[in-house]
Every structure is written in structure tokens, then in C-alpha cells.
Amino acid sequence: MTYANRRTVLAGLAGAALGATALDALTAAPAHAAADLYSSNTDLYTELAGKEGTLFARRYKRHEMTDVSDGQRFPFNRTTIMALHGGGIEGGTSELCLAIAGYHPATLAATPADGPAHDYWMFEGIASADNGDLHVTSTNNDDRVALSMAAGSLNVLSLHGCRKEQAGTPAGKPEAVVVGGLDTAFKTCLHEEFQAAGFQTVDGSTVPALAGENPENICNRTLLRKGAQLEMTTELRQSLFDEGHFTRLDRPTHTNERFTAFVAAARKAIARLEARADQAIL
């Protein structure tokens, strides 16, 4: 079944069951639709075979680690940053993934002046339209590289986009980040650092649909079986880029001071987490 045909079939089924009004609501929020077009990443890769580089892309970086000494201990990667719905699916998450990992989102130059570089993995929609149809929910992500990177990390920070209505933000304050996941310590660090930087945070446990507490969510499929997830409202993500430049091709070169502040807060939270005794090399 082709990309367009699958969209048509599923849209028709949804329309018959839900009616036009409900269908419009779903198509307006593809990141959290009632049913993804693809049941898993494997399903998507199979159905869209030959379309990588045209409709979607995958990018990742694992850092080389070597220890050939007898007595000296060397640092190891503790944290992986992920953007499961990057590119044109949930705008801004690719750029944030790269920057929080320690790389310039346009040049990919290493920029970790304030700490180490982190591993990262991202899936991006790069189609000319309908990128939201490429969304695969976090609990169904079975990309083998993504799973292996999560399973080999103590921590995962997974980045997502949501709507203000989903986040339940107060009237007149649509810019917010919902902090979720199963790692309580990580979430505390993220709340405190984002708030200190002037960003509004929402406790993910109060928003079940965005809580990220399912053990099968890839953010929790770490060595410690827990991680963290950020669901950022559209208004927040837009505010991190120059006005009028929130397109997929413009974003990497049009980040602003708020983007820098958000990235710095996330990296500070990671640094605090990694400084804990339970994160040390034994």
C-alpha cells in the first residue's frame, strides 16, 4: 500500500467512525492522533521502502569510547538525546536535539563549551507535505539503532511537540514544556532548570496523554528503565526561532536567544543528573 493510499484508507475509516468534526481535530494534531498510519517504525520503513532521503530521514551519532589503560577510568556516555518526530513532523525538535546533544543545528559543529557532547538519534519527516503522517508513537518505536542506543544509556531525554490544549496551559500562557518520564530525579532537574531560565513547565503526571510513563516508551527503555520526555507546545517551539522562520529549512540557521537559553537549561539539568552518585563509574 502506498503512502497516499494508506492515508486515504485510514482517513476514510476515521471519518466514518468519528464524523467530520472529530476527524478535523485529529488531522490538526497529527503528533497525537488516535491512530498512526504506521504501527511501528519497521512498518513505516517497509511500506516506504526506497523513500528514505525523500520522505523521511534518520540521523544519529554515537561517540567513540576507548579505555586501554590498566588503572585509569575514562568517562562513558550516560545520556542520549532523541527526537522521534523531527523535521516537519514536530517542528523544532530536530534542532533542539542536536543543540542539547552539543552540536550546532545547521553546521553540526561541536559546541559543548559547557560540558560533554551526548549521543543522539532522530527520525525526521522531510516530505514536501503531510509529514505528520510519518508519526509513530513513542511506545511503538522499534528502530533497532534507537532501541540499542536507549538500552545502552543510563538516561534518555526524548523531545516532542504538542499543542497548548493538550498541555493544559493557563489562558494567555501558551508557551510551556510538559516534563514527563519515569525518572523522578531527572524530571526535578529539568523543572528547576527550565523555571530558573524563565520557561513555564507542566508536571507530566497531571497530563496523562503526555506523561511519558509507559515503560515501553523509548525514553524509559534505558539501562535504568527510566528516562525523561519533554512535550513542548507549538508556541514555545516557535518562540525559540526568529519570527517568520519556523519552516523546516529555515530553523537550523534562525535560532534565537530563547533557543540558546532553553538548550542551556536542558544541558544543565543533564549535567546535574550525571553528577549524582548513581551515575558514576563503579
Side-chain angles (χ1 to χ4, degrees):
M1 183 179 295
T2 66
Y3 179 59
N5 286 343
R6 185 180 284 221
R7 288 182 60 238
T8 302
V9 170
L10 290 185
L13 291 174
L18 299 170
T21 301
L23 178 59
D24 289 345
L26 289 181
T27 55
H32 300 286
D36 289 332
L37 298 188
Y38 303 97
S39 61
S40 66
N41 283 65
T42 296
D43 181 30
L44 184 151
Y45 301 153
T46 301
E47 292 293 331
L48 301 183
K51 298 298 184 180
E52 186 162 5
T54 303
L55 294 182
F56 69 92
R58 289 175 281 182
R59 289 194 279 171
Y60 69 89
K61 185 175 181 64
R62 269 182 154 164
H63 296 83
E64 181 180 358
M65 293 174 286
T66 304
D67 185 348
V68 295
S69 70
D70 292 329
Q72 186 176 355
R73 295 184 301 178
F74 289 84
F76 67 100
N77 177 66
R78 295 165 176 78
T79 305
T80 294
I81 316 300
M82 292 189 164
L84 277 59
H85 312 129
I89 305 174
E90 293 171 358
T93 57
S94 289
E95 293 75 22
L96 286 166
C97 177
L98 288 166
I100 293 172
Y103 295 91
H104 191 285
T107 66
L108 301 185
T111 58
D114 57 344
H118 302 290
D119 291 353
Y120 64 82
W121 183 93
M122 65 180 75
F123 174 89
E124 300 176 288
I126 58 172
S128 58
D130 298 317
N131 281 288
D133 294 337
L134 300 172
H135 181 277
V136 175
T137 193
S138 302
T139 54
N140 292 337
N141 187 312
D142 62 351
D143 182 284
R144 293 181 179 180
V145 174
L147 288 175
S148 69
M149 293 181 72
S153 303
L154 292 182
N155 320 298
V156 162
L157 180 62
S158 185
L159 309 175
H160 300 267
C162 68
R163 293 181 290 112
K164 61 183 180 181
E165 294 83 4
Q166 295 168 316
T169 57
K173 299 180 66 178
E175 298 178 9
V177 54
V178 181
V179 181
L182 289 176
D183 192 328
T184 302
F186 201 174
K187 290 190 292 183
T188 296
C189 294
L190 289 163
H191 275 293
E192 292 178 352
E193 294 300 336
F194 284 133
Q195 290 172 8
F199 294 96
Q200 178 186 187
T201 67
V202 176
D203 181 358
S205 65
T206 67
V207 190
L210 306 181
E213 295 177 343
N214 189 321
E216 294 304 308
N217 185 319
I218 199 168
C219 80
N220 296 318
R221 299 185 69 170
T222 67
L223 284 167
L224 301 177
R225 302 300 299 174
K226 57 185 179 180
Q229 173 179 286
L230 302 180
E231 292 272 4
M232 298 162 284
T233 63
T234 303
E235 291 79 5
L236 172 60
R237 286 176 284 125
Q238 289 177 330
S239 77
L240 307 180
F241 299 87
D242 294 336
E243 186 174 357
H245 293 280
F246 195 60
T247 66
R248 182 174 66 83
L249 297 179
D250 282 353
R251 286 192 301 263
T253 55
H254 284 276
T255 60
N256 59 27
E257 291 181 356
R258 279 179 61 79
F259 181 95
T260 301
F262 191 92
V263 168
R267 287 180 60 81
K268 287 179 181 178
I270 294 169
R272 283 178 54 186
L273 181 72
E274 292 188 347
R276 289 167 53 94
D278 57 1
Q279 298 267 321
I281 301 174
L282 301 178

